[in-house]
Amino acid sequence: MKVYAALDPRLPLSEVPRVARRVEDLGFDGLHIPETIHDSFAVALLAAEHTSRITVRTAITLAFVRSPTLVAYNAWDLAKFSGGRFELGLGTQIKQNIEGRFGMPWTEPVARIGEYLTVLRELFAAFASGDSIHFEGDSYRLTRLQPYFNPGPDDIAPPPILLGAVNAGMCRLAGQLADGVITHSTNSDPGYLRDVVQPALHAGAVERSRQAPGIIAAVPIATGATAAEVARDRERQRRLLAFLYSTPSYRPTLTRLGLPELFDRLRQLVKEQYWDRLHDVVTDNVLDQLLICGDYDALPDLVRDRYAGLVHGIVLPAPTADPEDTRVMHAIESLRAL
């Protein structure tokens, strides 16, 4: 099992080099870079510049707010700059954010992101060969790539493309087209991975006569070196999960877990604009259902009991403290051996 560290989405850009080096020194396989208040490509560039071994992966870059050509340029540059360590994690986001937060149009997401991935592959092929591109689809039309605007020809390998996927349709598409799938923290429980994600990935892969891509699970985890650190991380996760589960797209998860009333209470608070009170309705009993919670010594057993044999990689919060902690390193080694 690969072990990745998730960068704090609110980490100042000035702190990215230090934390990225810390993640590499501790033995993580890679760094997951979210896109919330920073541009994921800018953060990835900083992380790649200040590391030499780990995978640097955006998780996830928002597709529908960007031209596929701009994404291809950025991903190609980062793949070359990092010596092949960059991976592009791509996703759709939800309709409300695309329209209301970014002011961009929304269309049916599965077919559109499938076309987006196809365009990216063709752009990478054009960059490698130095040729032009001609693609005409339902959402995207690219018919112009003069030599002046083509970064190739080049023999670098195009970066792998992983797809952020939640529902069965998106997972099926990932099985058809993606190099991996990144699950969402609201849909990474073992039952959902076993009953929905894996079958959909395999179904999509069979349709294209290819091997099903691996699952990178962004599991909700509260951990740390001490009980106090675990407790602090647990409260951070309480607030994060309360915000996430107030989104209608993730209501089915709560229903599946027998917690439909939690969504109703969260939505009512959102309607009243009480964002700072969402976490109050996520009780300890509910949090225990949604969260893996334990220190670094206990973490490998907790993860093994739930996820061994289900996923190819797991994502932990990135430690930010400066002193080296051998327990973190031991936990990473133990998880990698699963």
Side-chain angles (χ1 to χ4, degrees), residues 9-10 36 93-94 97 101 184-186 235-251 254 262-263 266-267 269-270 274-282 287 290:
R10 304 194 73 84
T36 51
Q93 251 293 355
I94 60 173
N97 277 336
R101 187 156 65 97
H184 194 269
S185 56
T186 63
E235 292 311 306
R236 179 186 67 83
Q237 286 284 0
R238 190 194 304 271
R239 290 177 176 272
L240 175 60
L241 291 171
F243 168 72
L244 292 175
Y245 280 117
S246 70
T247 305
S249 298
Y250 308 132
R251 181 177 189 171
L254 294 178
L262 178 59
F263 172 80
L266 291 169
R267 285 307 298 172
L269 289 172
V270 168
Y274 291 134
W275 295 98
D276 59 343
R277 289 170 50 186
L278 291 176
H279 65 282
D280 291 337
V281 304
V282 180
L287 198 58
L290 304 176

Side-chain angles (χ1 to χ4, degrees), residues 4-6 31-35 55-61 86-92 117 160-167 170-171 173-175 178-188 192-193 197 201 213-219 250 311-315:
Y4 302 96
L31 184 65
H32 263 210
I33 295 171
E35 185 156 82
T55 295
V56 176
R57 178 187 297 135
T58 58
I60 57 166
T61 292
F86 176 73
E87 295 185 356
L88 175 62
L90 201 64
T92 63
L117 265 63
I161 304 175
L162 290 85
L163 187 62
V166 173
N167 59 43
M170 196 66 76
C171 291
L173 179 70
D179 297 308
V181 64
I182 304 169
T183 64
H184 194 269
S185 56
T186 63
N187 284 280
S188 292
Y192 191 79
L193 295 180
V197 177
L201 284 175
I215 298 171
I216 308 299
V219 178
Y250 308 132
V311 302
H312 291 71
I314 197 156
V315 184

Side-chain angles (χ1 to χ4, degrees), residues 12-299:
L13 292 181
S14 60
E15 286 290 293
V16 172
R18 179 184 66 81
V19 175
R21 288 192 298 266
R22 165 86 167 141
V23 165
E24 184 165 78
D25 291 343
L26 286 171
F28 282 95
D29 293 293
L31 184 65
H32 263 210
I33 295 171
E35 185 156 82
T36 51
I37 63 171
H38 301 306
D39 183 287
S40 59
F41 289 126
V43 180
L45 180 61
L46 280 171
E49 182 182 15
H50 292 276
T51 56
S52 60
R53 176 188 58 81
I54 58 174
T55 295
V56 176
R57 178 187 297 135
T58 58
I60 57 166
T61 292
L62 304 184
F64 296 164
V65 301
R66 291 180 172 91
S67 153
T69 305
L70 287 177
V71 170
Y73 280 143
N74 281 324
W76 190 261
D77 282 343
L78 283 164
K80 190 170 185 176
F81 179 78
S82 66
R85 294 185 293 120
F86 176 73
E87 295 185 356
L88 175 62
L90 201 64
T92 63
Q93 251 293 355
I94 60 173
K95 178 180 180 180
Q96 296 94 322
N97 277 336
I98 297 299
E99 292 183 337
R101 187 156 65 97
F102 291 98
M104 299 293 283
W106 175 265
T107 56
E108 195 284 318
V110 177
R112 183 178 174 188
I113 196 69
E115 192 171 292
Y116 204 107
L117 265 63
T118 302
V119 174
L120 287 176
R121 303 283 193 201
E122 296 205 11
L123 283 164
F124 290 155
F127 294 170
S129 66
D131 295 335
S132 188
I133 184 173
H134 189 95
F135 180 92
E136 296 193 51
D138 295 327
S139 298
Y140 300 98
R141 182 176 182 269
L142 284 78
T143 60
R144 188 176 176 87
L145 186 64
Q146 309 96 306
Y148 184 79
F149 297 110
N150 191 326
D154 207 315
D155 60 359
I156 71 168
I161 304 175
L162 290 85
L163 187 62
V166 173
N167 59 43
M170 196 66 76
C171 291
R172 190 184 191 103
L173 179 70
Q176 295 171 344
L177 298 177
D179 297 308
V181 64
I182 304 169
T183 64
H184 194 269
S185 56
T186 63
N187 284 280
S188 292
D189 58 277
Y192 191 79
L193 295 180
R194 186 181 302 109
D195 299 338
V196 177
V197 177
Q198 282 189 334
L201 284 175
H202 284 281
V206 168
E207 291 173 6
R208 298 297 177 93
S209 300
R210 65 194 296 257
Q211 185 175 353
I215 298 171
I216 308 299
V219 178
I221 292 175
T223 191
T226 66
E229 289 180 7
V230 174
R232 282 196 297 272
D233 204 29
R234 180 180 169 91
E235 292 311 306
R236 179 186 67 83
Q237 286 284 0
R238 190 194 304 271
R239 290 177 176 272
L240 175 60
L241 291 171
F243 168 72
L244 292 175
Y245 280 117
S246 70
T247 305
S249 298
Y250 308 132
R251 181 177 189 171
T253 301
L254 294 178
T255 301
R256 192 177 66 253
L257 296 174
L259 299 168
E261 72 287 346
L262 178 59
F263 172 80
D264 296 333
R265 296 175 68 188
L266 291 169
R267 285 307 298 172
Q268 185 59 40
L269 289 172
V270 168
K271 290 177 182 179
E272 296 171 359
Q273 294 293 297
Y274 291 134
W275 295 98
D276 59 343
R277 289 170 50 186
L278 291 176
H279 65 282
D280 291 337
V281 304
V282 180
T283 65
D284 286 339
N285 288 337
V286 168
L287 198 58
D288 289 339
Q289 290 183 251
L290 304 176
L291 186 66
I292 290 179
C293 188
D295 63 23
Y296 290 129
D297 295 331
L299 192 60

